[in-house]
Amino acid sequence: FTGSSRLCFIGSSLLASGHSHVYVLLGFSFCYRYNAIKYSSPRSGFIISGLAVYLPNLLIHIFFAASPLLDSTELRRIVAEYHPTYDYEDRARVELLIGAEMNVPIKMSCLWFQCVILPVYAIIVIVSILVNRLLTSTLKMSEKSKQMHREIMKCLIFQAMLPLSYFVGIGIHIAQEKLLTVESIDIGHLIFTISAMTLSASPFSTLYFIQPYRM
């Protein structure tokens, strides 16, 4: 809309930061639930640590957004070298092409975006096992409260499974690379569609699983 490469690049950084933080927040939510069940009320230090878990994500994407961008001449040269069939002039009317050097901040951001979910899932599995043990033990808690916690855990597990839907886009991309499907520009929008669907499904799952909100 504005034609500003820097503004669009910053917007992409914010989008990547938000997606990464969703994964981190998922892991934190499981830990918070375990803390709430075991200690009845969350400790103040644990709540403060919730602010700290966002710092790495914030710093990584601040440096990412500040990365220098390629000028139009260099960008055209690279596009012509690696994508000779790309019609730069024609596509310029419908999309804004942005290029940046693969420097350390960008590499860190890509690595963080792609891999942060792995330790988060490890935390989710471990904490889920611990919570299940707590709820099946002789915990001083009414059955109604235990059932409420079980429903919350079901909701969290469902939300944790939502990012797996991105494998649909990955599978289609691999199929295109192997020439198993017809190449289409619209496939490029699939990831954004999946992203919107998963982010929308997350709060709606709360309405379904959590008793006070259930319709």
Side-chain angles (χ1 to χ4, degrees):
F1 178 72
T2 63
S4 171
S5 298
R6 173 57 62 183
L7 186 60
C8 290
F9 193 69
I10 292 174
S12 298
S13 176
L14 290 172
L15 182 64
S17 174
H19 279 289
S20 300
H21 186 57
V22 166
Y23 305 145
V24 176
L25 199 58
L26 269 173
F28 182 80
S29 298
F30 275 81
C31 294
Y32 179 89
R33 184 52 43 194
Y34 173 78
N35 191 277
I37 295 172
K38 188 172 183 178
Y39 301 107
S40 297
S41 59
R43 298 177 176 180
S44 58
F46 184 82
I47 296 175
I48 294 174
S49 67
L51 301 175
V53 297
Y54 185 62
L55 285 179
N57 184 64
L58 179 64
L59 293 175
I60 286 172
H61 287 93
I62 285 177
F63 286 114
F64 173 85
S67 298
L69 302 181
L70 299 177
D71 58 42
S72 59
T73 303
E74 182 67 12
L75 185 59
R76 285 172 180 266
R77 185 191 67 78
I78 293 174
V79 170
E81 180 179 351
Y82 291 97
H83 303 280
T85 60
Y86 184 86
D87 191 335
Y88 197 95
E89 299 298 334
D90 182 61
R91 299 302 301 171
R93 294 180 296 178
V94 294
E95 65 185 17
L96 179 63
L97 196 62
I98 303 173
E101 294 183 10
M102 189 59 75
N103 53 20
V104 174
I106 289 182
K107 288 180 180 179
M108 287 184 62
S109 178
C110 292
L111 188 64
W112 177 266
F113 184 83
Q114 296 173 21
C115 299
V116 69
I117 197 170
L118 299 179
V120 167
Y121 271 155
I123 291 172
I124 287 173
V125 171
I126 294 171
V127 174
S128 296
I129 294 172
L130 293 176
V131 168
N132 184 62
R133 288 179 180 176
L134 277 178
L135 294 177
T136 55
S137 66
T138 56
L139 198 64
K140 292 183 179 180
M141 184 183 296
S142 67
E143 283 301 320
K144 184 177 180 180
S145 296
K146 287 184 178 181
Q147 184 60 31
M148 180 194 69
H149 284 297
R150 289 191 184 99
E151 292 299 316
I152 293 175
M153 286 299 296
K154 287 180 183 178
C155 180
L156 288 174
I157 291 172
F158 174 80
Q159 292 174 355
M161 298 295 288
L162 289 175
L164 297 179
S165 59
Y166 284 106
F167 280 107
V168 175
I170 295 172
I172 293 177
H173 175 72
I174 293 175
Q176 282 190 336
E177 292 291 322
K178 300 294 183 180
L179 302 178
L180 299 177
T181 59
V182 179
E183 187 173 353
S184 172
I185 297 176
D186 295 332
I187 296 299
H189 303 292
L190 182 62
I191 294 296
F192 297 100
T193 304
I194 293 174
S195 171
M197 291 174 64
T198 55
L199 293 178
S200 300
S202 185
F204 278 110
S205 65
T206 305
L207 299 177
Y208 177 79
F209 286 102
I210 310 303
Q211 187 66 39
Y213 307 121
R214 188 177 298 174
M215 301 178 65

